[in-house]
Amino acid sequence: MSRLMVSVSGIRGIVGESLTPDVVQRYTAAFAASMGRRIVVGRDSRVSGEMVEHLVTGTLLAMGCDVIRIGICPTPTVQLAVENLKASGGIAITASHNPIEWNALKLIGPDGLFLDEQQGRQVVERAEGGDYELATWERLGKVDFYGEAIRDHQAAILKLPFVDLEALRRRKFRVAIDCVNGAGAVFFPEFLQQLGCEVRAINCTPDGRFPHTPEPVPENLTQLSRFIREHPVDVGFAVDPDADRLAILNEKGEPIGEEYTLALAVAFILGKRKGKVVVNASTTRAIDDIAAGFGVPVIRTKVGEIHVAKRMREEQAVIGGEGNGGVILPEVHLGRDAPVAAALTLQHLMESGKRLSELHASLPQYRMVKMKVELGEVSPDEIITKLVEKHSSTEADFTDGVKFLFDRSWVHLRKSNTEPIIRVMAEAPTAEEAHQLARRFRNEITRLME
Ligand code: MG
């Protein structure tokens, strides 16, 4: 039996096991009790989405909320719709990059941001304590369908001052796109056409039947790589099922690594105007090198979109995001947004006059390696404390777990909030050095467990 994953920004589980109708109703009711009376509901395309959406909608009505359904759409479209429609909150029904058997509720506050720790804890406590009241018959909510949310989102990007639509339409980029049959399929092909691209789409039927493991990391993009080798294009894009993360492939069909989606966006935006950059603790140090070139600071936060988004708002950052392909541009909204990342990439490519592979090669080059160590009964905090003692003379950052900083490399050790593991991430100028560093710390952890 799988466990229900509860975090401040929502709940996630396997449909029919941990994510049962009862659980969906309890958390939806708790959210409604905390948030207020007008809730936007959107979902990705996965097969269980229809079932979960009916449960969520019915529960919101029972709580006396009016529901604005916006249908299948990317998660950033739900976030933006909450803001645009002046709703009191939103629920995106999506398990993001998780496989087909999963689904989840991502909870959004009235500002279009995911719930933060304080708001999220309130919802979890209410759900666990059954602390909410159902409406009586005369106070039940009603349902509306709003069919323009995708169009609104597309329009918000197309009117960005950095996007030169006329020039892009003249340039006519050839673009391959893989939406893994997720929610990106109802957004991307049309959006890329609006940007003047000649679109070659694969896996763009929004039926939620993922033809490959849906996380857009290089090992899952072999089909798109092969497609690009057979059908020449200027650039390839791949998104996860809720289209907040973008991966980029060059004209040879090689994935440039999802860290470089954000690196490209940061380099482009800082070239337009200088300002603070906010990224999470695990994001590539290519960002620091790029920002140093423009003389602007990089602020690092805990891992997780809400941490980055809130800090961006506080610092009035000009750009930010997470290295997993999640670009946040405050002009559109404070959430990771794959369509925004795609538009910036195309404009950048056009202005550079380079090929994608050359543009990538012009950035500082690092390679990242991710591993995890299963801990069983051993406490992750204890292990991390011991490692910090052992390496007390090494420069360290404690923003999220511990990150040891070396001259041209780093290693980041974080416990998971949902599994008994420690994540080990290392970055260095070459893949071999990154591997070596990650392995060294993995071995240290294993020894400390004995
Ligand atoms: Mg996602």
Side-chain angles (χ1 to χ4, degrees):
M1 219 34 190
S2 68
R3 250 184 342 123
L4 183 73
M5 313 283 194
V6 179
S7 77
V8 296
S9 304
I11 53 164
R12 184 162 55 100
I14 292 182
V15 173
E17 287 188 16
S18 48
L19 196 79
T20 59
D22 170 59
V23 164
V24 171
Q25 287 169 15
R26 211 150 15 93
Y27 280 86
T28 303
F31 175 70
S34 307
M35 279 301 133
R37 305 200 22 105
R38 237 165 84 85
I39 308 290
V40 172
V41 176
R43 66 176 176 96
D44 73 15
S45 66
R46 63 186 71 221
V47 177
S48 59
E50 186 174 23
M51 178 274 284
V52 178
E53 186 184 356
H54 276 91
L55 287 168
V56 165
T57 304
T59 307
L60 290 171
L61 298 178
M63 290 294 296
C65 294
D66 291 335
V67 177
I68 309 168
R69 292 181 54 232
I70 60 171
I72 293 177
C73 63
T75 294
T77 307
V78 185
Q79 293 172 302
L80 189 62
V82 169
E83 268 185 87
N84 284 344
L85 301 172
K86 305 203 175 0
S88 44
I91 298 181
I93 301 165
T94 172
S96 191
H97 60 274
N98 291 113
I100 194 163
E101 64 271 23
W102 292 82
N103 213 332
L105 308 182
K106 284 191 179 175
L107 306 177
I108 300 163
D111 51 5
L113 273 61
F114 289 134
L115 299 194
D116 64 18
E117 265 161 60
Q118 201 187 347
Q119 297 165 314
R121 209 171 309 117
Q122 192 189 12
V123 172
V124 172
E125 278 166 16
R126 272 187 202 274
E128 285 171 353
D131 176 19
Y132 47 80
E133 254 172 72
L134 296 171
T136 48
W137 70 270
E138 75 282 13
R139 298 185 53 208
L140 298 176
K142 59 180 179 32
V143 185
D144 266 329
F145 185 79
Y146 180 70
E148 297 296 311
I150 288 173
R151 198 81 17 123
D152 294 345
H153 187 185
Q154 290 169 339
I157 302 169
L158 296 176
K159 70 164 202 249
L160 282 171
F162 338 97
V163 175
D164 185 345
L165 261 189
E166 266 177 45
L168 279 169
R169 284 172 181 168
R170 276 197 304 275
R171 178 64 184 77
K172 283 194 180 57
F173 279 121
R174 289 170 306 172
V175 179
I177 172 82
D178 179 352
C179 290
V180 70
N181 293 336
V186 299
F187 194 112
F188 260 95
E190 182 187 45
F191 179 61
L192 293 170
Q193 278 164 8
Q194 290 167 348
L195 289 162
C197 301
E198 193 184 296
V199 182
R200 294 178 172 172
I202 61 169
N203 305 322
C204 281
T205 308
D207 62 7
R209 302 209 176 257
F210 306 144
H212 55 77
T213 311
E215 189 167 20
V217 292
E219 58 266 33
N220 298 332
L221 301 177
T222 50
Q223 188 194 357
L224 183 58
S225 289
R226 212 177 320 118
F227 181 82
I228 292 174
R229 286 199 299 273
E230 289 160 9
H231 307 83
V233 292
D234 299 298
V235 56
F237 291 136
V239 291
D240 70 334
D242 68 325
D244 54 350
R245 289 168 58 182
L246 182 82
I248 301 172
L249 287 78
N250 67 20
E251 73 284 354
K252 300 171 202 164
E254 299 159 346
I256 65 168
E258 63 273 30
E259 296 290 324
Y260 278 88
T261 305
L262 183 58
L264 278 171
V266 168
F268 175 70
I269 290 294
L270 291 181
K272 298 289 171 194
R273 53 169 186 191
K274 292 182 183 179
K276 293 178 188 169
V277 179
V278 178
V279 297
N280 77 27
S282 310
T283 299
T284 176
R285 62 181 287 160
I287 303 290
D288 302 78
D289 296 0
I290 293 164
F294 288 98
V296 299
V298 175
I299 296 154
R300 293 202 175 249
T301 71
K302 284 188 181 183
V303 175
E305 173 175 322
I306 181 59
H307 300 295
V308 179
K310 273 183 75 177
R311 194 67 188 273
M312 284 181 69
R313 188 163 60 188
E314 285 162 26
E315 303 283 350
Q316 305 208 312
V318 295
I319 180 128
E322 299 197 281
N324 58 8
V327 172
I328 304 179
L329 188 69
E331 270 88 350
V332 180
H333 67 115
L334 286 169
R336 297 181 304 187
D337 191 314
V340 163
L344 297 184
T345 303
L346 291 171
Q347 179 74 26
H348 193 180
L349 190 61
M350 178 176 67
E351 289 182 19
S352 74
K354 294 179 170 143
R355 282 195 282 265
L356 204 284
S357 59
E358 296 165 340
L359 189 58
H360 171 231
S362 72
L363 297 176
Q365 294 297 310
Y366 293 99
R367 299 296 290 277
M368 201 180 281
V369 168
K370 300 177 186 183
M371 296 179 182
K372 55 185 175 184
V373 186
E374 307 275 346
L375 295 177
E377 299 299 306
V378 181
S379 145
D381 295 315
E382 209 173 294
I383 297 275
I384 288 179
T385 308
K386 283 184 184 163
L387 282 168
V388 170
E389 281 166 19
K390 185 166 173 226
H391 295 273
S392 57
S393 58
T394 308
E395 191 189 342
D397 173 343
F398 299 98
T399 306
D400 194 351
V402 60
K403 186 174 173 186
F404 294 112
L405 303 160
F406 307 98
D407 250 3
R408 303 266 299 149
S409 60
W410 53 257
V411 62
H412 187 190
L413 310 161
R414 268 177 71 222
K415 70 171 176 182
S416 161
N417 289 323
T418 49
E419 301 166 80
I421 58 167
I422 288 184
R423 295 185 197 283
V424 180
M425 275 158 285
E427 191 181 46
T430 67
E432 200 189 329
E433 289 167 87
H435 266 289
Q436 245 171 23
L437 191 57
R439 267 200 306 266
R440 194 180 116 205
F441 275 84
R442 187 184 61 187
N443 294 343
E444 283 191 21
I445 293 171
T446 318
R447 277 199 300 275
L448 285 172
M449 284 167 57
E450 283 161 5

